[in-house]
Amino acid sequence: MYIVDIAGVDGRCPVNDLKILVDEIANYGDGHLLGRPALVVANKIDLFEDEEEYSEILLQLYQVIEDTELNVDINDVVEISAACGHGLQQLSRIIRQTVKRGHRDYHGI
């Protein structure tokens, strides 16, 4: 699970943060972890006031996923606000699905 602060509250860029996380995982061992089922969590969506900027950042996150070897289904990008509780039930459901998918992939079921 890759969690990024989509609002960039502390001045960080969520797109660059995702790229850094992917690079770190790719460089760990033989990079095999990139092939495991994963999901991307965009946190702090409650802090956005500019819908256009929000949509642009999401598109850029999708582009990072497409450009890398991340095993993330387009439906496995979850938008949440941990502070407000928005999207947490969906996140819980998708975590369970991703773990099951990883189990099936690993065991060849």
Side-chain angles (χ1 to χ4, degrees), residues 12-58:
R12 298 173 65 113
C13 173
V15 176
N16 287 339
D17 284 350
L18 182 57
K19 288 178 183 178
I20 290 168
L21 289 169
V22 171
D23 285 344
E24 287 179 2
I25 296 298
N27 291 318
Y28 180 79
D30 63 2
H32 73 283
L33 293 176
L34 279 182
R36 291 190 177 176
L39 58 137
V40 173
V41 179
N43 190 24
K44 299 186 181 179
I45 63 169
D46 57 305
L47 300 180
F48 263 98
E49 294 180 13
D50 185 342
E51 190 68 33
E52 199 170 305
E53 180 185 8
Y54 174 73
S55 296
E56 178 59 32
I57 292 173
L58 275 178

Side-chain angles (χ1 to χ4, degrees), residues 82-95:
C84 298
H86 176 79
L88 296 181
Q89 287 183 340
Q90 177 189 13
L91 176 60
S92 178
R93 180 180 47 79
I94 291 175
I95 289 171

